[in-house]
Amino acid sequence: MPAATNRLSVAHISLARGYKGNERQTELLIKELANLGVPQALVCRDDSPLPIHLDGVKGLKIFRIRGMSDPRLMGHFRLGKQYSILQAHESHAMQWCLVHYLLFGTPYVITLRKDNPERNNFVNRAVFHNAAAMVAISKVIKSSFEKVFSRNCNLICDCSSHLKPNYDTVQRFRQHMKNRFVVGHVGALINRQKGQSVLIDAAKILKNKLPELVIVLVGAGDDSGLLKLRAQGMPNVKFVGFRRNIIDYIASFDVFAYPVNYEGLGSIILDVMEQGVPVIASNVGGIPDLVKHGQTGLLIKPGDAEALAEHILTLKRNPGFRQNLINNGYNEVELHSSAAMAADYYRIYINVLNDGKS
């Protein structure tokens, strides 16, 4: 059953709670497609904050549904065949799109963000088999998906978020940290994923070698108590808690450390590079797509506090090398603009409309 129109119009499905990096990417894609004149809709939970961030976007309609279950399929019938393409932005949205496709025949595109392979079960096989196109945000996600499900997957990286720091706040923070070398981290305090304990251990290693070092951890989470206990007796480790203005902190750092244990892409790295801050990150998931060791940043093995400490020391002692990483980081960001990301999605949508699959 074909969609009602051959003209490109896109309904974005995002049923996640809250507003995090993935939702920011959805926001940026919708805004850029609006600049291209594409009529769009957003199907979201009734408590989603995403519509607030999209207020005023031309040609965008909002369809709110109750929770994940969409009682009595009312969301599907409200949306109907008004849009020629569905775009699934997360796992619950994938299944929603399959149901809508079975009801109305509207083709759908799926974006994959997890660096661990999707389970090869009946539901996922149905979801992926019927999708008109698949998109992975990193090479490792693309490779693992194609290996498990034996179908082509397009590669479109996330983009920088174009966040603007408050320079008065940045200057105050830098003045407060005057004569200190600030290595920062932003992320939920969930150590099994984000690996903040590795950064704390690196600070211990550098206690005497780099006395001006201060570690700033921005975020909150289940492992807050565990990490504070690990940093006990270390005045050079600061926990500032959850902050909405994370870009003000990022712009204040001398180095950004991201010793994660797993990560789909780590688009926050692009935001860091955009602020002129060099990156040290784990060589996992899609991070090497953005951080080329010795060129756009530095890589370590997950859990390697010694290597992290060594790289921090190198960047402190070699400002010329640090500036080179910063300059190359700017160039990397230019390759991942929101306009370029939207143009890649646009081409896929047009191919789907013309050929049925991409």
Side-chain angles (χ1 to χ4, degrees), residues 122-133:
F122 174 79
V123 172
N124 281 343
R125 286 196 297 272
V127 167
F128 299 142
H129 173 75
N130 288 287

Side-chain angles (χ1 to χ4, degrees), residues 41-59:
L42 171 67
V43 178
C44 62
R45 294 171 56 95
D46 56 2
D47 58 353
S48 170
L50 191 49
I52 298 172
H53 295 267
L54 292 165
D55 185 45
V57 173
K58 187 177 180 181

Side-chain angles (χ1 to χ4, degrees), residues 6 10 34 51 87 123 133 141 157 164 176 200 202 217 229 244 250 277 312 326 334 358:
N6 287 327
V10 182
Q87 170 66 60
V123 172
I141 295 174
C157 287
K164 302 297 182 185
H176 179 67
I200 293 171
L217 297 170
L229 184 63
R244 294 190 182 279
I250 289 172
V277 178
I312 291 171
I326 291 170
E334 289 297 314
S358 179

